[in-house]
Amino acid sequence: MSCGFALYGCLSAWLCRFVAVVLTTSQARCRGLIEQGDVMQLSGRGVALSIIASVLFALVPGYVRLLAPLDGLQVFAQRVLWSMPAVLLLITLSRQWPVLLAACGRVRREPLLLASLPLAALLMGIQWALFVWAPLAGRMLEVSLGYFLLPLAMVLAGRVFYGERLRPLQRLAVFCALLGVAHELWLTQAFSWVVMVTVLGYPPYFMLRRWMRLDALSGFAFEMLFMAPVAIWLVLQWSPPQLFSQAPQLWWLLPGLAILSSLAFAAMMAASRLLPMGLFGILSYVEPVLLFLVALLFLGEQFNSAQWLTYLPIWLAVLLVGWDSARLLIKQARQGL
């Protein structure tokens, strides 16, 4: 256990610099949106933060398996409760209390913003619960399929609601990804409620958070606050008796999950505000690819050779997006943007 607490301390010290980058990025250049005229410019930090968020989120399914004897709902409840001190720690280490107090002032002055917070918490809570429940219930394949479809939904949302236009390489990337998704649908014959919740739940959440214009950590803290009553009720009603006596390793595994979740969420929210909705959606394909590698290399799951026709087009789409993003970043750097 002492080794676990030492690891927890090292992670806490490391996240100070990381969060400083996240928060500086998410609040930079006009409330986190990097714009030149009416066109949002590509942010190199936004791309990097999106990839970091995907890497951290891809670790969660394997991590959840270490949390026995907790079931999916209990993991969700404990994740929420431990994330509250974690996000306060992040705010303290990054000296963001004035930002949080300013956000509280906005909530008091703007009734519509206050009314939107429970909705944001509900949308995020559903995704959190689903993501930690699925690997324990044997439904991770369906969640992964939802994440394959999600970027296409994000691209569509960006086109319909924000008028974003895709560059030629981005269009080719979407086409490649669509081929992979179509093959996966044909192969698994699966389009369950789990897939639908994943695909249809995230776009309105990101659009709502962008409209709210709250920094990543303040918004995260408010959402944890609104989720906390449900989490407390779940713990009181369904938690195994003498949980920490039976599994003392949870004293450090649960805080570790909170740190992992908080870092991933902060990076994701900063990236969602720095990048055009369409590009942010396409970069989301990094996560299901990483989930595939984690399942294959660390969780011991068997890979069906027929799925190569799913993953190869998606990996090609990710490479095309990376190439296109690098070209645009170089162009912007030369123009002094």
Side-chain angles (χ1 to χ4, degrees), residues 22-224:
V22 172
L23 295 177
T24 300
T25 304
S26 66
Q27 296 170 19
R29 305 183 190 180
C30 189
R31 297 181 180 178
L33 297 179
I34 300 180
E35 299 182 354
Q36 182 74 18
D38 294 329
V39 179
M40 182 183 288
Q41 299 296 316
L42 178 62
S43 163
R45 285 185 175 181
V47 173
L49 287 168
S50 178
I51 294 173
I52 289 171
S54 294
V55 171
L56 295 177
F57 277 126
L59 297 176
V60 172
Y63 196 104
V64 165
R65 292 193 174 187
L66 302 175
L67 302 179
L70 297 178
D71 60 17
L73 284 178
Q74 284 301 311
V75 172
F76 163 73
Q78 294 284 351
R79 184 184 185 187
V80 170
L81 295 179
W82 284 96
S83 291
M84 295 182 69
V87 71
L88 294 179
L89 176 63
L90 294 178
I91 291 171
T92 300
L93 290 175
S94 55
R95 300 178 181 179
Q96 292 297 309
W97 281 103
V99 178
L100 178 59
L101 293 176
C104 291
R106 278 193 60 206
V107 171
R108 287 195 303 269
R109 294 190 304 269
E110 302 177 23
L112 193 57
L113 178 60
L114 175 61
S116 67
L117 286 173
L119 177 58
L122 175 63
L123 292 172
M124 179 47 59
I126 291 172
Q127 299 300 330
W128 269 36
L130 186 64
F131 197 73
V132 298
W133 167 82
L136 299 176
R139 307 289 293 270
M140 203 62 205
L141 176 62
E142 295 168 72
V143 172
S144 299
L145 181 57
Y147 278 97
F148 289 145
L149 290 167
L150 175 59
L152 297 178
M154 298 292 290
V155 170
L156 181 60
R159 184 71 181 97
V160 173
F161 295 102
Y162 296 98
E164 297 173 357
R165 295 185 178 181
L166 299 180
R167 294 183 296 277
L169 281 179
Q170 289 179 322
R171 295 194 192 100
L172 182 58
V174 171
F175 177 73
C176 291
L178 185 60
L179 288 178
V181 168
H183 179 266
E184 184 69 12
L185 283 172
W186 173 79
L187 182 66
T188 63
Q189 302 293 310
F191 205 74
S192 68
W193 67 268
V194 176
V195 177
M196 295 298 293
V197 169
T198 303
V199 173
L200 301 180
Y202 269 119
Y205 171 75
F206 286 123
M207 293 170 63
L208 179 62
R209 282 297 303 267
R210 180 172 287 195
W211 171 84
M212 293 164 68
R213 294 186 180 274
L214 290 172
D215 67 283
L217 285 185
S218 294
F220 188 33
F222 287 134
E223 289 169 3
M224 293 302 100

Side-chain angles (χ1 to χ4, degrees), residues 261-284:
S261 300
S262 299
L263 289 175
F265 184 82
M268 178 184 69
M269 289 311 307
S272 74
R273 298 181 64 195
L274 287 165
L275 296 173
M277 185 68 74
L279 177 58
F280 176 68
I282 295 173
L283 283 172
S284 298

Side-chain angles (χ1 to χ4, degrees), residues 141 180 183-184 186-188 292 296 301-313 315:
L141 176 62
H183 179 266
E184 184 69 12
W186 173 79
L187 182 66
T188 63
F292 161 75
L296 185 65
E301 296 187 8
Q302 298 298 316
F303 177 65
N304 184 352
S305 60
Q307 289 182 300
W308 280 117
L309 293 179
T310 295
Y311 286 96
L312 288 177
W315 288 339

